[in-house]
């Protein structure tokens, strides 16, 4: 079974350019789906591509990065028929909740030694 590489893209990126870049990289029209938001104020979109091996994963990921992908997700053992918007969104949401995010820098204050013999009065 194939794998699905999904990507979440920036608001200002062009999905038509993504389509062209995927096809120029060897992917067929039936190998990818671009999910557009119907809200015209929010042009952010999601795309998924069927990938069969590490070479195709790297190729698709490079195309995604060139087209301003915010983040990519690899879903193993999933076909393009299973990659509808609701399913992909559900898996992305679950991964994001499970991900351990970086915590802010924490400064630990230790007790001082107080005055020592180098203090002159």
């Amino acid at each position: 079974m194939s794998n699905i590489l999904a990507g979440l893209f920036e608001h200002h990126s062009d999905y038509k350019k993504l389509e062209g870049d995927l096809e120029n990289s060897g992917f067929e029209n039936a190998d990818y789906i671009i999910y557009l938001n119907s809200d015209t104020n929010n042009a952010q979109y999601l795309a998924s591509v069927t990938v069969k091996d590490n070479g195709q994963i790297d190729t698709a990921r490079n195309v995604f990065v060139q087209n301003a992908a915010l983040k990519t997700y690899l879903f193993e053992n999933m076909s393009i028929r299973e990659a509808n918007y609701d399913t992909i969104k559900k898996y992305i949401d679950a991964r994001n909740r499970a991900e351990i995010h970086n915590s802010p820098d924490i400064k630990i204050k230790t007790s001082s030694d107080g005055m020592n013999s180098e203090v002159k009065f």
Side-chain angles (χ1 to χ4, degrees), residues 10 31 46 56 62 83 89 96 115:
E10 297 239 4
D31 291 337
L46 183 69
Q56 283 189 334
N62 288 338
K89 179 129 174 48
N96 284 338
M115 291 201 279

Side-chain angles (χ1 to χ4, degrees), residues 5 11 14 29 38 40 44-45 55 58 81 87 95 101 105 107 118 120:
L5 183 70
H11 296 281
D14 182 13
N29 189 26
S38 61
T40 56
Q44 192 173 27
Y45 62 93
D58 291 340
R81 285 178 271 118
T87 303
R95 281 209 184 155
H101 298 284
D105 291 336
K107 294 181 181 179
E118 293 183 16
K120 307 269 188 213

Side-chain angles (χ1 to χ4, degrees), residues 44-72:
Q44 192 173 27
Y45 62 93
L46 183 69
S48 60
V49 180
T50 300
V51 290
K52 296 178 177 88
D53 57 26
N54 288 339
Q56 283 189 334
I57 292 170
D58 291 340
T59 301
R61 190 169 276 141
N62 288 338
V63 170
F64 282 6
V65 168
Q66 291 170 2
N67 285 278
L70 296 171
K71 192 153 185 175
T72 60

Side-chain angles (χ1 to χ4, degrees), residues 22-40:
L22 285 170
E23 290 180 8
N24 290 337
S25 296
F27 294 99
E28 300 292 324
N29 189 26
D31 291 337
Y32 64 88
I33 300 172
I34 297 178
Y35 314 93
L36 299 175
N37 191 348
S38 61
D39 181 13
T40 56

